[in-house]
Amino acid sequence: GGYDPGAIGYNKSGEAVAYESIINLAIAKKVGEKLTARGIGVIYTRDTDNFISLSGRADIENSSNCDLFVSIHCNSIDNAQISGTQVYYHPESATGTLLAKNIYNNMLKETPLVPKNIQNGANLYVIRTTKSPAVLVETAFISNESDRSYLLSTSGQNSIAEAIVKGIEETLAKMN
């Protein structure tokens, strides 16, 4: 967010048409609204288009006594043909692994996105430095035209948010 737009999606003419930071924020707010409506508390690492460092994100989580940490992202790669959804987790966290599986499985049920599976994310800063079970959701590839259109659509954002919420709910139910 802020001065760092994250991954950028370009059209065939090379114009920037999508910014990860804006898409992530829109999806995160939808997730937060859905969770709050279901009686689940939410703490955002950001709720406006501002930059929060990786350590700042971990600090927010580590000082909040959260049950789970979900980091929402858009993937990007030079090969615009690559598409799909994936979720990263820490393999030493049973609950984090369960959360990743639950979100991923719901992404496959709720969205038309290509499956890319769950991945070991032990090397990712927010997964390895947060106290609570953590996942990083790569919703779709902003570099792929079809995925990007889905990410920019209200219906796509709503479906992604619903999948994340269902994955969180299923995980919390197993924790309690």
Side-chain angles (χ1 to χ4, degrees):
Y3 69 84
D4 181 2
I8 300 172
Y10 298 93
N11 65 17
K12 291 180 181 179
S13 301
E15 298 171 277
V17 293
Y19 298 92
E20 179 184 18
S21 63
I22 303 299
I23 294 168
N24 296 346
L25 184 58
I27 293 170
K29 284 184 169 184
K30 290 175 189 326
V31 168
E33 290 166 5
K34 290 173 182 288
L35 287 171
T36 300
R38 293 171 174 160
I40 299 170
V42 175
I43 297 170
Y44 295 93
T45 53
R46 69 182 180 103
D47 59 3
T48 61
D49 188 23
N50 63 321
F51 178 79
I52 307 290
S53 68
L54 291 175
S55 62
R57 297 172 209 180
D59 289 346
I60 291 168
E61 188 283 330
N62 289 331
S63 65
S64 67
N65 200 28
C66 291
D67 292 320
L68 302 170
F69 180 81
V70 178
S71 189
I72 299 170
H73 297 268
C74 299
N75 219 335
S76 182
I77 193 166
D78 289 338
N79 182 346
Q81 301 306 308
I82 304 286
S83 65
T85 187
Q86 60 196 125
V87 182
Y88 289 87
Y89 65 98
H90 199 298
E92 293 178 10
S93 170
T95 303
T97 303
L98 177 64
L99 177 61
K101 288 177 182 177
N102 287 339
I103 290 174
Y104 178 76
N105 289 335
N106 279 289
M107 289 287 278
L108 300 184
K109 290 178 196 170
E110 298 288 329
T111 75
L113 297 167
V114 173
K116 289 286 188 212
N117 218 334
I118 63 171
Q119 307 284 327
N120 180 339
N123 63 328
L124 299 173
Y125 188 88
V126 294
I127 290 178
R128 78 172 192 274
T129 61
T130 51
K131 291 179 189 174
S132 63
V135 298
L136 188 145
V137 181
E138 291 285 6
T139 56
F141 281 79
I142 199 169
S143 51
N144 175 278
E145 185 177 356
S146 177
D147 277 13
R148 182 173 57 250
S149 293
Y150 190 72
L151 287 165
L152 289 169
S153 73
T154 300
S155 62
Q157 292 175 5
N158 283 331
S159 295
I160 290 168
E162 187 64 25
I164 293 170
V165 167
K166 285 182 177 178
I168 291 169
E169 286 179 316
E170 290 170 6
T171 306
L172 288 172
K174 297 265 184 183
M175 291 172 65
N176 295 331

